[in-house]
Amino acid sequence: MAEAIVVGGGIMGLLVARGLRASGASVTLLETGQTGREASWASAGIIAARAPWTTTATGALQNHSASIWPGFAAELADETGMDIEYRQNGCLYPAFSDDAARQLERDARDARAAGFPLEFAAGSALRAEEPALGPAIVAAAMGPGGNVENRRVVQALTIAAGLAGVTIQTGTSVTEISSTAGRVTGARTSSGRGYAADIVIIAAGAWSSQIKGLGLDIPVRPQRGQILAVAQPHPAPRRVILKDDDPYVVPRVDGRMIVGATREFAGFDRARTAGGIAWLLSAAIEMVPGMAGSELLDIWTGFRPISGDGTPIIGPGTLEGLFFCTGHGPSGISPAPASAEIVVAMVESRQPPIRAEAFDPRRFASR
Amino acid sequence: MAEAIVVGGGIMGLLVARGLRASGASVTLLETGQTGREASWASAGIIAARAPWTTTATGALQNHSASIWPGFAAELADETGMDIEYRQNGCLYPAFSDDAARQLERDARDARAAGFPLEFAAGSALRAEEPALGPAIVAAAMGPGGNVENRRVVQALTIAAGLAGVTIQTGTSVTEISSTAGRVTGARTSSGRGYAADIVIIAAGAWSSQIKGLGLDIPVRPQRGQILAVAQPHPAPRRVILKDDDPYVVPRVDGRMIVGATREFAGFDRARTAGGIAWLLSAAIEMVPGMAGSELLDIWTGFRPISGDGTPIIGPGTLEGLFFCTGHGPSGISPAPASAEIVVAMVESRQPPIRAEAFDPRRFASR
């Protein structure tokens, strides 16, 4: 039976650990802090398809993942009794000018022709669907998707992984991967302790590139997202609203509305800034004017793992037995179940469920 | 020796209690919560003159108070050892258009002619004085004033009042003033307990009008102010910046910069709202663009006591022995020492330090 170590206890690490354990491997997950408390915790939990909806590798990854989410949510409820509040309330893509509206209408037609159900609406038809929208929005496309309570997802996954027999070591920071003759032998922590393993999966998010001994210099850096929650106005949007250049607006089942997020390169500085919050609130109020009177409930920040070329890093590295599942950038919750499926399949030398060449970590090997 | 009850432990009540005690009265201060934790706590601590600087009763009150503040700060330091961080860093009144600049220049000339030192500056002279100002500000007038750490003021005053022998009862909510034959006899609390007194001073801020038995229906209601603190940018403004219709910006000695405040009628709802915070941040960033990158440190709300005609309510009521010191609206810290002087003088049948007819509570007696 294989001995596997998963480095990182966010949604990616937890999913991979649970998946490998389900196949009979002995799995230890090592997490610096508590599980699920970094990017997975800071997320807005959007489960969306991605434009262009049908052609890119990342689009295919998200679309495949979207098909997994309903069953995955049901599985987690079965395994743990916990409702992760996955809701297929749909996604809305707004246009703020007549030009943008015409382009959106064409995009929707193209998407439908390719089999992706994206509807276009303007004027009274749009207002009837979404009375909460402000006058700045002249038209919108509406498609499938929704949102999930990401904090409950990682909590449920932690429980599920534990029930499945994954050994979870929190407060344990992996600093180096050990290897001999091009083959992984384990991991070493900041306290100097070594863990032996045949398989190591790097799922350490924005911190992934700080680990030594990876055999390849993966370009992942932290992108700060400032994000906040307000009380839902009346009327509230029904759908997740996804503005091209953010902010997005996510109505949650618990009565909150999430507004996110800035995309900033500020190292690991967790500051919430005056400019960031001013922009989030002002731009979101333009989309949903009723939220001006909504109580501001919370503001937080997170660090998304941004890969050097903007595409996730999923699959084997250059050392035998080493795999990556990181670099998902601003959209990590949505593709997570699919990304984990890919990694687990590759570890087990099975065919991944979708083509995954675009995500190959070895594309950075010659840097 | 007179027995006095002060209702309310904000800056007004604490100052009046300390002042009466200094004259030998036996003083009990009754406060619903903790002393200083309502409007006095929420304030930005601006010590400013008020436009028109020389002609109105409120302007005269603030100007007289400004002359008291330096000595008062020194007294509190002597009495308690506590530095209340009073700093005469000056006040700046910005103009955002050439028209407004011309008006401001005339105002400054008029003010100087009346003996009030208000300087006008534009262009490079203004930037040399205040490099933190954004390009939206085309000119400014600059006068005396500054700011104080209002939370330290009420903490120091609580200590000083206690040392002087004031009996402070916190957690004690006065619901009714007792009187016989048009003369005050004491106060009754929500627990049913009665306190006997010859003199009662109502300094209960936005809650003043909720007390029964006042003998006159004083029009005071809560005006919500949302207010926040960011880390000071570099360069930071040197002066308090007072925009006509808010927000104001207050650089504090502790490295924070206070930005306040909304003026909303929302009852006693303490919510911080999306629209309020968006407006504060955006408008303040226009004045001080460097703060866009500043860490947002805290957001809070407070309830200012707004009087029916916008003028403070200071002096005797219609019941013998009953006095008021409330209704100061958005500017309560600045005039507080002068307002307390007026009340104490009136209780002791002395001439107040400035004319106080405009503040007479009995103007509301015939309502």
Side-chain angles (χ1 to χ4, degrees):
Chain A
M1 193 168 80
E3 284 278 348
I5 287 174
V6 176
V7 182
I11 189 170
M12 297 296 171
L14 288 165
L15 276 165
V16 171
R18 170 173 166 275
L20 290 174
R21 181 72 198 130
S23 308
S26 170
V27 183
T28 300
L29 185 149
L30 305 176
E31 160 59 41
T32 302
Q34 288 179 266
T35 55
R37 293 291 174 132
E38 293 291 351
S40 302
W41 198 258
S43 160
I46 299 169
I47 309 297
R50 181 161 165 163
W53 290 272
T54 50
T55 55
T56 65
T58 310
L61 179 70
Q62 292 214 15
N63 288 342
H64 176 61
S65 205
S67 73
I68 303 174
W69 265 101
F72 168 53
E75 274 173 38
L76 272 186
D78 280 352
E79 292 170 33
T80 69
M82 196 167 174
D83 175 12
I84 59 172
E85 298 180 355
Y86 172 56
R87 182 169 64 143
Q88 297 181 60
N89 55 317
C91 294
L92 182 148
Y93 307 84
F96 293 82
S97 70
D98 292 340
D99 276 0
R102 277 187 290 272
Q103 181 61 48
L104 203 55
E105 191 166 18
R106 283 192 293 271
D107 290 349
R109 200 166 43 231
D110 293 350
R112 285 197 303 276
F116 185 84
L118 193 68
E119 299 299 326
F120 178 84
S124 58
L126 177 59
R127 305 298 148 184
E129 279 291 323
E130 290 286 0
L133 297 183
I137 297 176
V138 302
M142 290 171 289
N147 74 93
V148 68
E149 176 36 289
N150 43 289
R151 296 182 184 182
R152 292 177 72 88
V153 172
V154 283
Q155 289 171 313
L157 271 172
T158 301
I159 296 166
L163 290 172
V166 172
T167 302
I168 297 179
Q169 300 268 15
T170 57
T172 305
S173 188
V174 169
T175 50
E176 188 170 358
I177 303 307
S178 318
S179 60
T180 304
R183 207 183 194 305
V184 156
T185 57
R188 189 166 293 280
T189 68
S190 57
S191 67
R193 178 167 169 193
Y195 290 79
D198 317 302
I199 303 290
V200 174
I201 295 94
I202 306 295
W207 292 266
S208 295
S209 62
Q210 294 181 357
I211 300 165
K212 293 192 179 76
L214 294 178
L216 109 167
D217 183 18
I218 58 159
V220 172
R221 61 174 176 154
Q223 184 192 56
R224 181 173 67 195
Q226 301 186 49
I227 176 170
L228 56 88
V230 299
Q232 271 177 35
H234 303 286
R238 293 178 189 138
R239 293 168 179 79
V240 173
I241 304 177
L242 288 161
K243 185 165 175 276
D244 259 356
D245 49 356
D246 286 353
Y248 50 74
V249 170
V250 184
R252 281 282 177 81
V253 294
D254 64 3
R256 291 181 304 154
M257 196 169 80
I258 313 295
V259 176
T262 61
R263 302 188 183 199
E264 304 163 277
F265 292 105
F268 285 101
D269 176 356
R270 289 190 193 272
R272 316 166 307 170
T273 67
I277 304 308
W279 173 75
L280 284 177
L281 289 173
S282 305
I285 288 170
E286 190 189 18
M287 295 195 286
V288 182
M291 71 169 266
S294 294
E295 182 167 7
L296 178 60
L297 301 171
D298 198 6
I299 308 174
W300 63 96
T301 58
F303 299 112
R304 311 174 184 99
I306 296 283
S307 85
D309 58 5
T311 299
I313 300 169
I314 310 168
T318 49
L319 292 174
E320 201 177 340
L322 184 70
F323 296 83
F324 292 88
C325 189
T326 184
H328 286 77
S331 299
I333 300 292
S334 199
S339 296
E341 270 193 359
I342 292 171
V343 172
V344 171
M346 286 174 166
V347 169
E348 298 172 354
S349 302
R350 291 186 284 106
Q351 186 72 18
I354 60 166
R355 293 172 57 96
E357 292 82 356
F359 311 124
D360 193 334
R362 293 168 296 191
R363 69 190 187 274
F364 300 115
S366 58
R367 292 203 321 152
Chain B
M1 194 167 78
E3 283 279 348
I5 286 173
V6 176
V7 182
I11 188 169
M12 298 296 171
L14 288 165
L15 275 165
V16 170
R18 170 174 166 275
L20 291 175
R21 180 71 198 129
S23 308
S26 170
V27 183
T28 300
L29 185 150
L30 305 176
E31 160 59 42
T32 302
Q34 288 178 265
T35 56
R37 293 293 175 131
E38 294 292 351
S40 302
W41 198 257
S43 159
I46 300 171
I47 309 298
R50 180 162 166 162
W53 289 271
T54 50
T55 54
T56 65
T58 310
L61 180 70
Q62 292 214 14
N63 287 342
H64 176 63
S65 205
S67 73
I68 303 175
W69 266 100
F72 169 52
E75 273 172 39
L76 272 186
D78 279 352
E79 291 169 33
T80 69
M82 196 168 174
D83 176 12
I84 60 172
E85 298 180 355
Y86 171 56
R87 183 168 63 143
Q88 297 182 59
N89 54 317
C91 293
L92 182 148
Y93 307 84
F96 293 83
S97 70
D98 292 339
D99 276 358
R102 277 186 290 271
Q103 182 60 49
L104 204 55
E105 191 166 17
R106 282 191 293 272
D107 290 349
R109 199 166 43 229
D110 294 348
R112 286 197 303 277
F116 186 83
L118 193 67
E119 300 297 326
F120 178 83
S124 58
L126 178 59
R127 305 298 149 184
E129 278 292 323
E130 290 287 1
L133 297 182
I137 296 176
V138 301
M142 290 172 290
N147 73 95
V148 68
E149 174 38 288
N150 44 289
R151 296 182 184 181
R152 292 176 73 88
V153 172
V154 283
Q155 289 171 313
L157 271 173
T158 302
I159 295 165
L163 290 173
V166 172
T167 302
I168 297 179
Q169 300 268 15
T170 57
T172 304
S173 189
V174 169
T175 50
E176 188 171 358
I177 302 307
S178 317
S179 59
T180 303
R183 208 186 193 303
V184 156
T185 57
R188 190 165 294 281
T189 68
S190 57
S191 67
R193 177 166 170 194
Y195 290 79
D198 318 302
I199 304 290
V200 173
I201 295 95
I202 305 294
W207 292 266
S208 295
S209 61
Q210 294 182 357
I211 299 165
K212 293 192 179 77
L214 294 179
L216 110 165
D217 184 16
I218 58 159
V220 173
R221 61 174 176 154
Q223 183 192 57
R224 181 173 68 196
Q226 301 186 49
I227 175 169
L228 56 88
V230 300
Q232 272 177 33
H234 304 285
R238 292 178 188 138
R239 293 169 179 78
V240 173
I241 303 178
L242 287 162
K243 185 164 175 276
D244 260 357
D245 50 356
D246 287 352
Y248 51 73
V249 170
V250 183
R252 281 281 177 80
V253 296
D254 65 1
R256 292 181 304 154
M257 198 168 80
I258 313 296
V259 176
T262 61
R263 301 187 183 201
E264 305 163 277
F265 293 105
F268 286 100
D269 176 356
R270 290 190 194 272
R272 314 166 309 170
T273 66
I277 304 307
W279 173 74
L280 284 178
L281 289 173
S282 304
I285 288 170
E286 191 190 17
M287 296 195 284
V288 183
M291 71 170 266
S294 294
E295 182 166 7
L296 178 60
L297 301 171
D298 198 6
I299 307 175
W300 63 97
T301 58
F303 299 113
R304 310 173 185 99
I306 296 282
S307 85
D309 57 6
T311 298
I313 300 168
I314 310 169
T318 50
L319 292 173
E320 201 177 339
L322 184 70
F323 296 82
F324 291 88
C325 189
T326 185
H328 286 76
S331 298
I333 300 293
S334 199
S339 297
E341 269 193 1
I342 292 171
V343 172
V344 171
M346 287 174 165
V347 169
E348 297 173 354
S349 303
R350 289 188 284 107
Q351 184 73 18
I354 61 167
R355 292 173 59 95
E357 291 83 356
F359 311 124
D360 193 335
R362 293 168 296 191
R363 69 190 188 273
F364 301 116
S366 59
R367 293 199 322 151

Short mmCIF file of all heavy atoms in Angstrom, two decimals, chain A residues 230 269-279 281-282 285 291-299, chain B residues 230 269-279 281-282 285 291-299:
data_model
loop_
_atom_site.label_atom_id
_atom_site.label_comp_id
_atom_site.label_asym_id
_atom_site.label_seq_id
_atom_site.Cartn_x
_atom_site.Cartn_y
_atom_site.Cartn_z
N VAL A 230 -21.94 41.82 3.28
CA VAL A 230 -22.98 42.73 3.76
C VAL A 230 -24.26 41.92 3.95
O VAL A 230 -24.39 40.81 3.44
CB VAL A 230 -23.25 43.89 2.75
CG1 VAL A 230 -22.00 44.75 2.54
CG2 VAL A 230 -23.77 43.36 1.42
N ASP A 269 1.03 40.43 2.74
CA ASP A 269 0.46 41.47 3.60
C ASP A 269 -1.06 41.32 3.62
O ASP A 269 -1.73 41.46 2.61
CB ASP A 269 0.87 42.84 3.05
CG ASP A 269 0.24 44.00 3.82
OD1 ASP A 269 -0.56 43.76 4.73
OD2 ASP A 269 0.57 45.16 3.49
N ARG A 270 -1.61 41.05 4.80
CA ARG A 270 -3.05 40.76 4.89
C ARG A 270 -3.91 42.02 5.00
O ARG A 270 -5.11 41.93 5.29
CB ARG A 270 -3.35 39.90 6.13
CG ARG A 270 -2.86 38.49 6.02
CD ARG A 270 -3.39 37.63 7.18
NE ARG A 270 -2.65 36.37 7.21
CZ ARG A 270 -2.99 35.29 6.52
NH1 ARG A 270 -4.06 35.31 5.75
NH2 ARG A 270 -2.26 34.19 6.58
N ALA A 271 -3.33 43.19 4.84
CA ALA A 271 -4.09 44.43 5.10
C ALA A 271 -5.34 44.54 4.23
O ALA A 271 -5.35 44.20 3.06
CB ALA A 271 -3.19 45.64 4.85
N ARG A 272 -6.39 45.04 4.85
CA ARG A 272 -7.57 45.53 4.14
C ARG A 272 -7.33 47.02 3.95
O ARG A 272 -7.02 47.72 4.92
CB ARG A 272 -8.82 45.31 4.99
CG ARG A 272 -8.87 43.94 5.64
CD ARG A 272 -9.93 43.84 6.74
NE ARG A 272 -9.78 44.89 7.74
CZ ARG A 272 -10.69 45.13 8.68
NH1 ARG A 272 -11.77 44.38 8.75
NH2 ARG A 272 -10.52 46.10 9.55
N THR A 273 -7.42 47.52 2.72
CA THR A 273 -7.04 48.91 2.47
C THR A 273 -8.25 49.79 2.18
O THR A 273 -9.28 49.33 1.69
CB THR A 273 -6.07 49.03 1.29
OG1 THR A 273 -6.77 48.66 0.09
CG2 THR A 273 -4.85 48.14 1.47
N ALA A 274 -8.07 51.08 2.46
CA ALA A 274 -9.13 52.06 2.19
C ALA A 274 -9.53 52.02 0.72
O ALA A 274 -10.72 52.00 0.38
CB ALA A 274 -8.63 53.46 2.58
N GLY A 275 -8.54 52.00 -0.17
CA GLY A 275 -8.83 52.01 -1.61
C GLY A 275 -9.51 50.73 -2.06
O GLY A 275 -10.44 50.76 -2.89
N GLY A 276 -9.06 49.61 -1.55
CA GLY A 276 -9.67 48.33 -1.92
C GLY A 276 -11.13 48.25 -1.51
O GLY A 276 -11.99 47.87 -2.31
N ILE A 277 -11.42 48.62 -0.29
CA ILE A 277 -12.79 48.53 0.21
C ILE A 277 -13.68 49.56 -0.46
O ILE A 277 -14.84 49.29 -0.81
CB ILE A 277 -12.81 48.70 1.75
CG1 ILE A 277 -11.89 47.66 2.41
CG2 ILE A 277 -14.23 48.56 2.29
CD1 ILE A 277 -12.11 46.23 2.00
N ALA A 278 -13.13 50.77 -0.68
CA ALA A 278 -13.91 51.81 -1.38
C ALA A 278 -14.32 51.32 -2.76
O ALA A 278 -15.47 51.49 -3.19
CB ALA A 278 -13.09 53.09 -1.49
N TRP A 279 -13.39 50.69 -3.46
CA TRP A 279 -13.68 50.20 -4.80
C TRP A 279 -14.70 49.07 -4.78
O TRP A 279 -15.68 49.08 -5.54
CB TRP A 279 -12.38 49.74 -5.48
CG TRP A 279 -12.61 49.08 -6.79
CD1 TRP A 279 -12.95 49.68 -7.98
CD2 TRP A 279 -12.54 47.68 -7.06
NE1 TRP A 279 -13.09 48.73 -8.96
CE2 TRP A 279 -12.85 47.51 -8.43
CE3 TRP A 279 -12.24 46.56 -6.27
CZ2 TRP A 279 -12.87 46.24 -9.03
CZ3 TRP A 279 -12.26 45.30 -6.88
CH2 TRP A 279 -12.57 45.16 -8.23
N LEU A 281 -17.01 48.34 -2.57
CA LEU A 281 -18.35 48.80 -2.18
C LEU A 281 -18.97 49.66 -3.29
O LEU A 281 -20.13 49.47 -3.66
CB LEU A 281 -18.28 49.59 -0.88
CG LEU A 281 -17.99 48.77 0.38
CD1 LEU A 281 -17.77 49.69 1.58
CD2 LEU A 281 -19.12 47.78 0.68
N SER A 282 -18.21 50.61 -3.82
CA SER A 282 -18.77 51.52 -4.82
C SER A 282 -19.20 50.76 -6.07
O SER A 282 -20.29 50.98 -6.61
CB SER A 282 -17.74 52.59 -5.22
OG SER A 282 -17.27 53.27 -4.08
N ILE A 285 -22.24 48.59 -5.34
CA ILE A 285 -23.44 49.39 -5.19
C ILE A 285 -23.95 49.84 -6.55
O ILE A 285 -25.17 49.94 -6.76
CB ILE A 285 -23.17 50.61 -4.26
CG1 ILE A 285 -23.02 50.15 -2.80
CG2 ILE A 285 -24.28 51.66 -4.36
CD1 ILE A 285 -22.50 51.23 -1.85
N MET A 291 -27.98 47.73 -1.90
CA MET A 291 -27.06 47.34 -0.84
C MET A 291 -26.42 48.54 -0.15
O MET A 291 -25.74 48.38 0.87
CB MET A 291 -25.98 46.38 -1.35
CG MET A 291 -24.96 47.00 -2.27
SD MET A 291 -23.52 45.90 -2.60
CE MET A 291 -22.36 46.46 -1.34
N ALA A 292 -26.65 49.76 -0.68
CA ALA A 292 -26.07 50.95 -0.02
C ALA A 292 -26.49 51.02 1.45
O ALA A 292 -25.71 51.42 2.30
CB ALA A 292 -26.47 52.22 -0.75
N GLY A 293 -27.72 50.60 1.72
CA GLY A 293 -28.20 50.64 3.10
C GLY A 293 -27.94 49.36 3.88
O GLY A 293 -28.34 49.25 5.03
N SER A 294 -27.28 48.40 3.27
CA SER A 294 -27.04 47.12 3.93
C SER A 294 -25.93 47.21 4.96
O SER A 294 -24.91 47.87 4.73
CB SER A 294 -26.62 46.06 2.90
OG SER A 294 -27.67 45.79 2.01
N GLU A 295 -26.12 46.51 6.05
CA GLU A 295 -25.07 46.50 7.08
C GLU A 295 -23.81 45.80 6.58
O GLU A 295 -23.87 44.71 6.01
CB GLU A 295 -25.58 45.79 8.34
CG GLU A 295 -24.54 45.82 9.45
CD GLU A 295 -25.09 45.43 10.80
OE1 GLU A 295 -26.25 45.01 10.88
OE2 GLU A 295 -24.34 45.55 11.79
N LEU A 296 -22.69 46.46 6.78
CA LEU A 296 -21.39 45.87 6.48
C LEU A 296 -21.05 44.91 7.62
O LEU A 296 -20.90 45.33 8.76
CB LEU A 296 -20.34 46.97 6.36
CG LEU A 296 -18.90 46.55 6.10
CD1 LEU A 296 -18.77 45.80 4.79
CD2 LEU A 296 -17.99 47.79 6.08
N LEU A 297 -20.94 43.62 7.30
CA LEU A 297 -20.81 42.62 8.36
C LEU A 297 -19.38 42.23 8.65
O LEU A 297 -19.02 41.95 9.79
CB LEU A 297 -21.62 41.37 7.97
CG LEU A 297 -23.11 41.60 7.74
CD1 LEU A 297 -23.75 40.35 7.14
CD2 LEU A 297 -23.80 41.98 9.03
N ASP A 298 -18.57 42.18 7.61
CA ASP A 298 -17.21 41.66 7.80
C ASP A 298 -16.37 42.01 6.57
O ASP A 298 -16.91 42.17 5.47
CB ASP A 298 -17.27 40.13 7.97
CG ASP A 298 -16.01 39.56 8.60
OD1 ASP A 298 -15.12 40.34 9.00
OD2 ASP A 298 -15.90 38.33 8.68
N ILE A 299 -15.07 42.14 6.79
CA ILE A 299 -14.11 42.37 5.70
C ILE A 299 -12.93 41.45 5.97
O ILE A 299 -12.46 41.38 7.11
CB ILE A 299 -13.60 43.83 5.68
CG1 ILE A 299 -14.75 44.83 5.67
CG2 ILE A 299 -12.68 44.06 4.48
CD1 ILE A 299 -14.28 46.29 5.78
N VAL B 230 -7.98 54.65 9.43
CA VAL B 230 -7.00 54.00 8.57
C VAL B 230 -5.61 54.35 9.10
O VAL B 230 -5.45 55.28 9.88
CB VAL B 230 -7.12 54.46 7.09
CG1 VAL B 230 -8.50 54.13 6.53
CG2 VAL B 230 -6.84 55.95 6.95
N ASP B 269 -30.08 52.41 15.45
CA ASP B 269 -29.49 51.28 14.71
C ASP B 269 -27.99 51.55 14.53
O ASP B 269 -27.60 52.50 13.88
CB ASP B 269 -30.19 51.17 13.35
CG ASP B 269 -29.59 50.08 12.47
OD1 ASP B 269 -28.57 49.46 12.87
OD2 ASP B 269 -30.14 49.85 11.38
N ARG B 270 -27.17 50.69 15.11
CA ARG B 270 -25.72 50.92 15.09
C ARG B 270 -25.04 50.43 13.82
O ARG B 270 -23.81 50.39 13.74
CB ARG B 270 -25.05 50.21 16.27
CG ARG B 270 -25.35 50.82 17.61
CD ARG B 270 -24.46 50.22 18.71
NE ARG B 270 -24.98 50.59 20.01
CZ ARG B 270 -24.65 51.72 20.64
NH1 ARG B 270 -23.79 52.56 20.11
NH2 ARG B 270 -25.18 52.01 21.81
N ALA B 271 -25.80 50.02 12.82
CA ALA B 271 -25.18 49.38 11.64
C ALA B 271 -24.17 50.28 10.95
O ALA B 271 -24.36 51.47 10.82
CB ALA B 271 -26.26 48.96 10.66
N ARG B 272 -23.11 49.67 10.49
CA ARG B 272 -22.19 50.27 9.54
C ARG B 272 -22.67 49.79 8.17
O ARG B 272 -22.86 48.60 7.98
CB ARG B 272 -20.77 49.77 9.78
CG ARG B 272 -20.37 49.78 11.25
CD ARG B 272 -19.11 48.97 11.54
NE ARG B 272 -19.17 47.63 11.00
CZ ARG B 272 -18.15 46.80 10.94
NH1 ARG B 272 -16.96 47.18 11.40
NH2 ARG B 272 -18.26 45.60 10.45
N THR B 273 -22.92 50.72 7.25
CA THR B 273 -23.53 50.30 6.00
C THR B 273 -22.55 50.38 4.83
O THR B 273 -21.59 51.15 4.83
CB THR B 273 -24.74 51.19 5.64
OG1 THR B 273 -24.28 52.52 5.36
CG2 THR B 273 -25.76 51.22 6.78
N ALA B 274 -22.85 49.59 3.82
CA ALA B 274 -22.04 49.58 2.61
C ALA B 274 -21.95 50.98 2.00
O ALA B 274 -20.87 51.45 1.63
CB ALA B 274 -22.63 48.60 1.59
N GLY B 275 -23.11 51.65 1.89
CA GLY B 275 -23.13 52.97 1.28
C GLY B 275 -22.39 54.01 2.11
O GLY B 275 -21.69 54.86 1.56
N GLY B 276 -22.55 53.94 3.41
CA GLY B 276 -21.88 54.89 4.28
C GLY B 276 -20.36 54.77 4.19
O GLY B 276 -19.65 55.76 4.05
N ILE B 277 -19.88 53.54 4.25
CA ILE B 277 -18.43 53.32 4.24
C ILE B 277 -17.86 53.64 2.85
O ILE B 277 -16.78 54.22 2.72
CB ILE B 277 -18.09 51.88 4.66
CG1 ILE B 277 -18.70 51.57 6.04
CG2 ILE B 277 -16.60 51.66 4.67
CD1 ILE B 277 -18.35 52.55 7.12
N ALA B 278 -18.60 53.26 1.81
CA ALA B 278 -18.15 53.57 0.44
C ALA B 278 -17.98 55.08 0.27
O ALA B 278 -16.99 55.55 -0.29
CB ALA B 278 -19.15 53.03 -0.58
N TRP B 279 -18.96 55.83 0.77
CA TRP B 279 -18.90 57.28 0.63
C TRP B 279 -17.75 57.88 1.43
O TRP B 279 -16.97 58.70 0.93
CB TRP B 279 -20.23 57.90 1.07
CG TRP B 279 -20.20 59.38 1.12
CD1 TRP B 279 -20.20 60.24 0.06
CD2 TRP B 279 -20.12 60.20 2.30
NE1 TRP B 279 -20.14 61.54 0.52
CE2 TRP B 279 -20.10 61.54 1.88
CE3 TRP B 279 -20.09 59.91 3.67
CZ2 TRP B 279 -20.02 62.61 2.78
CZ3 TRP B 279 -20.02 60.96 4.56
CH2 TRP B 279 -19.98 62.29 4.12
N LEU B 281 -14.95 56.51 2.42
CA LEU B 281 -13.64 56.17 1.87
C LEU B 281 -13.39 56.90 0.55
O LEU B 281 -12.32 57.48 0.34
CB LEU B 281 -13.52 54.66 1.67
CG LEU B 281 -13.42 53.82 2.94
CD1 LEU B 281 -13.49 52.34 2.62
CD2 LEU B 281 -12.12 54.12 3.70
N SER B 282 -14.38 56.88 -0.33
CA SER B 282 -14.18 57.48 -1.66
C SER B 282 -13.93 58.98 -1.53
O SER B 282 -13.02 59.53 -2.17
CB SER B 282 -15.40 57.25 -2.54
OG SER B 282 -15.68 55.87 -2.61
N ILE B 285 -10.54 59.66 0.04
CA ILE B 285 -9.45 59.35 -0.89
C ILE B 285 -9.31 60.47 -1.92
O ILE B 285 -8.21 60.80 -2.36
CB ILE B 285 -9.67 57.98 -1.57
CG1 ILE B 285 -9.44 56.84 -0.57
CG2 ILE B 285 -8.76 57.81 -2.79
CD1 ILE B 285 -9.87 55.47 -1.06
N MET B 291 -4.10 57.75 0.85
CA MET B 291 -4.71 56.81 1.80
C MET B 291 -5.35 55.61 1.12
O MET B 291 -5.76 54.68 1.80
CB MET B 291 -5.73 57.51 2.70
CG MET B 291 -6.99 57.93 2.01
SD MET B 291 -8.31 58.49 3.18
CE MET B 291 -9.25 56.97 3.45
N ALA B 292 -5.41 55.61 -0.22
CA ALA B 292 -6.00 54.45 -0.91
C ALA B 292 -5.28 53.16 -0.52
O ALA B 292 -5.90 52.11 -0.39
CB ALA B 292 -5.95 54.64 -2.43
N GLY B 293 -3.98 53.25 -0.31
CA GLY B 293 -3.21 52.06 0.07
C GLY B 293 -3.12 51.84 1.57
O GLY B 293 -2.48 50.90 2.02
N SER B 294 -3.75 52.69 2.35
CA SER B 294 -3.66 52.60 3.81
C SER B 294 -4.52 51.48 4.36
O SER B 294 -5.65 51.28 3.90
CB SER B 294 -4.14 53.92 4.45
OG SER B 294 -3.27 54.97 4.14
N GLU B 295 -4.02 50.80 5.37
CA GLU B 295 -4.79 49.73 5.99
C GLU B 295 -6.02 50.30 6.70
O GLU B 295 -5.93 51.27 7.44
CB GLU B 295 -3.93 48.97 6.99
CG GLU B 295 -4.70 47.81 7.62
CD GLU B 295 -3.81 46.83 8.35
OE1 GLU B 295 -2.60 47.09 8.49
OE2 GLU B 295 -4.33 45.78 8.76
N LEU B 296 -7.14 49.68 6.42
CA LEU B 296 -8.39 50.02 7.13
C LEU B 296 -8.33 49.35 8.48
O LEU B 296 -8.28 48.12 8.57
CB LEU B 296 -9.58 49.52 6.31
CG LEU B 296 -10.97 49.73 6.90
CD1 LEU B 296 -11.27 51.21 7.12
CD2 LEU B 296 -12.02 49.12 5.98
N LEU B 297 -8.32 50.13 9.56
CA LEU B 297 -8.07 49.58 10.88
C LEU B 297 -9.34 49.28 11.67
O LEU B 297 -9.40 48.32 12.42
CB LEU B 297 -7.22 50.56 11.69
CG LEU B 297 -5.85 50.90 11.08
CD1 LEU B 297 -5.19 52.04 11.84
CD2 LEU B 297 -4.94 49.66 11.07
N ASP B 298 -10.35 50.12 11.49
CA ASP B 298 -11.55 49.96 12.32
C ASP B 298 -12.68 50.81 11.73
O ASP B 298 -12.43 51.80 11.05
CB ASP B 298 -11.24 50.45 13.75
CG ASP B 298 -12.23 49.93 14.78
OD1 ASP B 298 -13.10 49.11 14.41
OD2 ASP B 298 -12.13 50.35 15.94
N ILE B 299 -13.90 50.38 11.97
CA ILE B 299 -15.09 51.12 11.56
C ILE B 299 -16.05 51.08 12.75
O ILE B 299 -16.24 50.03 13.34
CB ILE B 299 -15.80 50.46 10.36
CG1 ILE B 299 -14.82 50.23 9.19
CG2 ILE B 299 -16.98 51.31 9.88
CD1 ILE B 299 -15.45 49.46 8.02
#
